[in-house]
């Protein structure tokens, strides 16, 4: 690697981002691939009538916001259908369009409104503290939670209390739960689990079941791509940088160590502006805390659609020991799927 090429490369471990509550809130929007999602662009599979039924019901759920856009607003003669419950839960398998529908609902809602994954909301509370986080989102017309996670009782109780305070002030909530693509049918429909875990709020949610096949028909037996060795990663990174791309190059262990010093709410700022991430020396993990930090980091990288070049153990094989049979199994399986996409160029297409 030439001196010029090396100087063009950036290092994640040299970045020490800061982020304010307002900046965190500003990031609570649908990811790029759903920036233009709409009810009109959702294509229900006619072999599964529940998809059209869910689309129709969410259109009704959004009726009040549409009414406000019409002349006469809420006082127009054509009143929207009454919404019996302030919450709606989209219950379905992977690839049936739950996130598309969730983002579509967000787009038609009047602000203030927020869209994020379960991890992003818990990171918000962790960064600001419970009271300040509630105050920041108080008054929201709609909060969308994609991939509501049920594997950590503490986080689930925190979010139940958090949403309870916001819903008491008139906020509507729409949620999906995390169903990984390669979980071999495990947890395909999670409504019973969801309602049991949020028992204090369960009576506020209407469940919309969405059957169907994965519209991507993605091969869930794939694996992350790994370059031959560290030198190959360094050469590829330098070549991309020489072509004008913004590329970071870090050792895997160094990155994991750095992630432990950065709050997960700041991971989005950690990768800001990057077009490629290069990692050398990837290895199997035996520390669950490090593994969970990696999961949160990969979520942000996936949402930002930044490809990864890596050497060593394929990234989808880093969760060692009993991790895949433990309580965070679903979280790890989802991350493995995302790491496969990030290293093979199979990132989700834009709408």
């Amino acid at each position: 690697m030439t001196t010029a090429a090396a100087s063009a490369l950036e290092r994640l471990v040299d970045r020490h981002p800061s982020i304010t509550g307002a900046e965190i809130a500003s990031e609570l929007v649908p990811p790029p691939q759903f920036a233009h999602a709409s009810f009109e662009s959702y294509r229900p599979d006619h072999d599964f009538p529940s998809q059209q039924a869910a689309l129709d019901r969410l259109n009704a759920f959004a009726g009040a916001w549409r009414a406000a856009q019409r002349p006469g607003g809420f006082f127009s003669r054509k009143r929207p259908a009454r919404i019996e419950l302030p919450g709606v839960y989209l219950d379905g398998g992977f690839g049936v369009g739950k996130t598309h529908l969730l983002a579509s609902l967000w787009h038609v809602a009047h602000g203030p409104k927020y869209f994020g994954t379960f991890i992003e909301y818990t990171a918000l509370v962790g960064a600001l503290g419970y009271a300040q986080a509630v105050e920041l989102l108080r008054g929201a017309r709609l909060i969308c939670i994609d991939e509501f996670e049920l594997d950590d009782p503490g986080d689930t109780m925190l979010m139940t209390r958090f949403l309870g305070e916001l819903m008491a002030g008139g906020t509507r909530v729409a949620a999906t739960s995390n169903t990984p693509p390669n979980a071999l049918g495990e947890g395909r429909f999670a409504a019973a689990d969801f309602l049991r875990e949020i028992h204090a709020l369960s009576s506020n949610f209407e469940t919309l079941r969405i059957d169907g096949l994965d519209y991507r028909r993605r091969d869930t037996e794939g694996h992350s791509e790994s370059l031959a060795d560290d030198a190959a990663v360094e050469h590829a990174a330098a070549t991309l940088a020489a072509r004008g791309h913004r590329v970071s190059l870090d050792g895997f262990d160094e990155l994991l160590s750095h992630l432990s010093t950065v709050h997960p709410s700041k991971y989005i700022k950690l990768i800001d502006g990057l077009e490629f991430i290069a990692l050398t020396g990837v290895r199997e993990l035996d520390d669950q805390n490090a593994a969970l930090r990696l999961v949160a980091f990969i979520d942000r990288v996936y949402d930002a659609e930044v490809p990864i070049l890596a050497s060593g153990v394929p990234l989808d094989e880093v969760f060692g020991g009993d991790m895949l049979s433990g309580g965070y199994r679903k979280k790890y399986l989802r991350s493995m799927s995302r790491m496969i996409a990030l290293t093979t160029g199979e990132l989700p297409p834009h709408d």
Side-chain angles (χ1 to χ4, degrees), residues 142-292:
L142 175 69
I143 288 180
C144 292
I145 306 172
D146 202 18
E147 300 173 352
F148 199 108
E149 300 194 348
L150 305 171
D151 49 20
D152 187 309
D155 281 346
T156 302
M157 289 177 63
L158 173 71
M159 281 298 291
T160 299
R161 179 186 168 206
F162 185 71
L163 294 177
E165 287 206 39
L166 296 174
M167 293 176 85
T171 297
R172 293 182 186 174
V173 175
T176 72
S177 66
N178 57 329
T179 304
N182 50 351
L184 303 178
E186 177 182 304
R188 182 172 174 77
F189 297 103
D193 294 334
F194 175 78
L195 295 174
R196 182 183 66 249
E197 295 300 328
I198 65 157
H199 56 89
L201 292 178
S202 60
S203 62
N204 291 315
F205 279 84
E206 174 184 359
T207 297
L208 302 182
R209 177 163 172 164
I210 309 175
D211 298 276
L213 302 174
D214 178 358
Y215 78 92
R216 302 174 185 86
R217 308 298 193 270
R218 182 178 293 171
D219 179 6
T220 59
E221 300 301 320
H223 293 288
S224 293
E225 290 186 0
S226 184
L227 276 64
D229 51 32
D230 291 355
V233 170
E234 292 167 357
H235 175 74
T239 300
L240 289 166
R243 293 173 180 170
H245 294 288
R246 292 189 64 183
V247 186
S248 66
L249 173 63
D250 295 88
F252 186 64
D253 282 337
E254 289 73 20
L255 173 61
L256 290 177
S257 178
H258 187 55
L259 290 180
S260 70
T261 70
V262 180
H263 192 276
S265 64
K266 301 176 183 177
Y267 288 175
I268 188 66
K269 295 286 286 288
L270 191 65
I271 62 174
D272 186 41
L274 291 178
E275 297 175 86
F276 293 90
I277 291 172
L279 299 174
T280 58
V282 176
R283 63 173 178 83
E284 185 177 289
L285 298 174
D286 53 16
D287 181 339
Q288 187 146 262
N289 288 327
L292 291 172

Side-chain angles (χ1 to χ4, degrees), residues 295-316:
V295 167
F297 176 74
I298 290 297
D299 282 344
R300 302 288 72 74
V301 175
Y302 183 81
D303 285 345
E305 301 180 320
V306 182
I308 295 178
L309 311 171
S311 60
V313 171
L315 274 169
D316 64 318

